[in-house]
Amino acid sequence: MAQPAGSYPVVVVGSGPGGLQVAAELKALGVHHAVISADPAPGGMFRRWPHFQRLLSWTKPYVTDDLGDPLAERADWNSLLTELPDARGLQRGFLDGTSSFPSRAEMEANLVAFAERAAGDVRYDCAWQATRLVEDPDGTRFVLETQGGEYRARHVVMAVGVAEPWSPPTPGIELATSYADVGPAPQYKGQRVLIIGKQNSGFELASGMLPWARSLALVSPSPTSLSVVTKTLVGVRARYLQPFEDAVLGGGVTILDASLERIERTADGSLAVHLRRAGPGDPLVAEVDAVVAATGFQTPLRDLPSLGVAVTGQSRLPVQTSWWESATLPGIHFAGTITQGARGLRRHGVPSNSGAVHGARYNARLLARRLAGLVDGRVVDQPLVAHDAAVDLITRELTTSPELFHQRGYLARVLASDAAGGLRDEGTQPLTHVLDAGGSDAVAVTLEADGSGSIYPVLFTRIGDATAEHVLDADPRLRYDGDETRKAIASVLQRLSRGGTQRPKAGSAGGVS
């Protein structure tokens, strides 16, 4: 039975992938919590979007039959994480065999099944409406006002997505249809359609409308960026590139680098879209039948900014610590695609995969484990590893770890020097936390990508007050257990053992395994 209004150590808001992943982990850890959702059922944004196309994330069901094999997790970008046998790798069971990219309905079915089997009770149709700050003797800091009464908690996890469509304050923008309100593709049969925005949402709409529209134009001030060029998830994904190919081959689609100045209704009922070309600045008027604003999304944080949650950028992403907690209002945490607001090290400017399910699911799992420590003070086991065995552990992580592979440059496996000798396995942690927190000398093992298409290991050492990075050679097969790699790892560990052990700084956080 869904948890009623009342006091809880943790309240989770949202029943999309982020909320369900946190809920499942809290349930597995035995942490008392409540989950509320404005939606009538699980799925979050996947109950509505994408409109016309399959997802951008793949699930490859025949890579291995063993769901316990890390390779199964590496090849499945859509299933959530659990140790429950009947709830692992669920997405593969909902594919119809025609594509490794799930349809929206197939993704929703995956999340519904996970909610039923792993996440526990969620109170649906219970919208979060407002928030109050309090200071109660029991440690409660937040009161969430909802349709179903007040929920009180010391820790709140906001998993509400970056799912509120945003449109610029352009004159006449009210004549455009928001991405959220786009109708079925046949509705645009024979129409001249102009789409404002040249990112994934704009190209998704263009791909769906391509067989129906009389003509299509996509407009934004900046040139189109393609993921196959950036060699990252930044840019329009290959799934949606048919309109781009149509444009460059002269098939009738128009892609314009131009800014939007205003939209006006003409005497015959069509729309005149006034543009200004990038570069030369020449004015241009496009007469069309429909305008769609695919201009981005914002984080629906309601009154939290007025209570102290700082936000940044057009998407109003909350400013976060490495552990996905508000940097300005402690106790408010984030899960799901919102965690892309924790920027990480970004050595080459390449962002984490936190904006997608296959990255954010690891953030949510680690957040839940951290909350378990904050709520009841449980100490995570940190087994000792002999120096000789550490090389084996690191090569295994680099070669097989789904966490390191999917959250390249953000998550790291941490081994810290122990006063009794050997190394403590402090588990997987955010890399920036490891480098900033201080404490015992340690090595943080991660995989990195630089936008060239190469994926390679980097070992960061923290010895005393100094940090250093040790870059290992890339391998086109992504195998990092060969002799040369082992020798390089052993050399780094020798430096760590020579550095001695430092006393942990006061207040430094413990690891998460």
Side-chain angles (χ1 to χ4, degrees):
M1 183 177 181
Q3 301 94 330
S7 295
Y8 297 85
V10 181
V11 172
V12 180
V13 182
S15 58
L20 295 177
Q21 185 65 74
V22 171
E25 195 67 26
L26 291 175
K27 180 182 178 183
L29 293 168
V31 177
H32 188 44
H33 67 283
V35 186
I36 61 174
S37 174
D39 291 334
M45 62 168 281
F46 294 107
R47 299 182 62 252
R48 305 181 296 279
W49 306 323
H51 286 287
F52 306 139
Q53 287 284 322
R54 292 180 177 272
L55 273 62
L56 297 172
S57 49
W58 57 66
T59 292
K60 301 174 182 177
Y62 302 112
V63 170
T64 174
D65 292 330
D66 180 6
L67 291 179
D69 186 337
L71 188 58
E73 204 171 294
R74 288 254 299 255
D76 183 355
W77 288 24
N78 300 295
S79 297
L80 297 181
L81 310 172
T82 179
E83 297 303 315
L84 298 174
D86 69 339
R88 300 183 76 174
L90 289 177
Q91 186 63 77
R92 60 169 60 194
F94 292 101
L95 299 178
D96 64 8
T98 61
S99 176
S100 58
F101 295 88
S103 67
R104 187 206 60 73
E106 288 170 345
M107 181 63 173
E108 182 184 3
N110 158 36
L111 297 174
V112 168
F114 185 86
E116 294 172 348
R117 302 179 193 182
D121 295 325
V122 177
R123 187 171 182 185
Y124 297 105
D125 293 312
C126 183
W128 159 55
Q129 298 171 323
T131 317
R132 301 198 313 273
L133 289 177
V134 297
E135 292 293 346
D136 287 355
D138 65 357
T140 296
R141 292 205 63 210
F142 304 100
V143 177
L144 302 182
E145 300 173 9
T146 78
Q147 291 173 300
E150 292 187 347
Y151 285 78
R152 306 169 72 88
R154 285 190 288 164
H155 299 278
V156 175
V157 179
M158 289 294 169
V160 292
V162 186
E164 187 174 83
W166 175 86
S167 295
T170 303
I173 194 67
E174 69 278 1
L175 298 174
T177 301
S178 165
Y179 174 91
D181 299 322
V182 167
Q187 176 178 316
Y188 299 92
K189 179 179 179 180
Q191 291 193 9
R192 301 162 297 173
V193 182
L194 185 141
I195 299 171
I196 308 167
K198 302 202 302 275
Q199 298 192 42
N200 280 308
S201 58
F203 273 87
E204 177 238 320
L205 295 180
S207 296
M209 294 176 183
L210 198 56
W212 296 95
R214 171 181 164 187
S215 66
L216 282 168
L218 292 95
V219 177
S220 73
S222 301
T224 302
S225 178
L226 307 179
S227 65
V228 294
V229 175
T230 68
K231 297 181 175 63
T232 69
L233 292 188
V234 176
V236 178
R237 299 289 300 283
R239 289 284 301 119
Y240 296 156
L241 283 188
Q242 185 58 52
F244 185 86
E245 182 185 67
D246 190 293
V248 298
L249 296 182
V253 173
T254 302
I255 297 178
L256 288 172
D257 298 339
S259 58
L260 176 67
E261 294 195 328
R262 67 185 185 278
I263 305 171
E264 297 174 338
R265 180 77 69 183
T266 65
D268 66 1
S270 62
L271 298 173
V273 183
H274 294 259
L275 306 167
R276 189 163 295 278
R277 297 286 300 275
D282 298 333
L284 178 67
V285 179
E287 188 168 321
V288 297
D289 301 302
V291 178
V292 178
T295 46
F297 300 85
Q298 291 187 327
T299 311
L301 294 177
R302 295 190 180 276
D303 55 4
L304 289 181
S306 68
L307 297 179
V309 173
V311 298
T312 184
Q314 177 185 299
S315 297
R316 294 178 58 79
L317 285 166
V319 180
Q320 300 164 53
T321 70
S322 299
W323 287 103
W324 313 288
E325 184 175 15
S326 170
T328 53
L329 186 59
I332 297 293
H333 310 262
F334 305 96
T337 188
I338 302 176
T339 57
Q340 64 188 287
R343 292 175 57 84
L345 200 58
R346 297 188 68 166
R347 295 170 65 248
H348 304 289
V350 177
S352 71
N353 290 331
S354 297
V357 171
H358 69 285
R361 61 189 180 183
Y362 299 104
N363 301 350
R365 183 168 64 180
L366 292 177
L367 171 61
R369 295 177 184 180
R370 184 170 176 83
L371 287 171
L374 294 173
V375 166
D376 56 26
R378 71 182 67 186
V379 178
V380 177
D381 184 34
Q382 297 180 350
L384 282 176
V385 179
H387 276 275
D388 292 344
V391 174
D392 291 334
L393 187 154
I394 291 173
T395 56
R396 185 171 62 251
E397 283 292 290
L398 290 173
T399 303
T400 65
S401 169
E403 293 95 327
L404 300 192
F405 184 79
H406 286 312
Q407 282 292 60
R408 294 188 287 274
Y410 194 91
L411 296 181
R413 186 65 176 266
V414 183
L415 299 174
S417 296
D418 188 83
L423 300 166
R424 290 193 317 275
D425 181 0
E426 295 190 342
T428 303
Q429 302 180 36
L431 174 61
T432 48
H433 166 75
V434 179
L435 299 179
D436 294 341
S440 302
D441 294 348
V443 59
V445 181
T446 189
L447 288 169
E448 183 66 82
D450 60 5
S452 70
S454 294
I455 298 173
Y456 55 92
V458 181
L459 277 61
F460 290 85
T461 53
R462 186 186 68 206
I463 300 175
D465 294 326
T467 60
E469 60 181 79
H470 311 272
V471 179
L472 279 59
D473 291 336
D475 184 296
R477 304 165 302 158
L478 302 179
R479 296 292 308 190
Y480 297 112
D481 52 2
D483 289 342
E484 292 303 313
T485 302
R486 293 176 63 86
K487 289 178 184 177
I489 293 170
S491 175
V492 173
L493 292 178
Q494 286 175 359
R495 301 182 196 186
L496 186 68
S497 62
R498 289 198 300 267
T501 301
Q502 306 298 317
R503 179 174 298 173
K505 294 180 180 178
S508 63
V512 177
S513 63

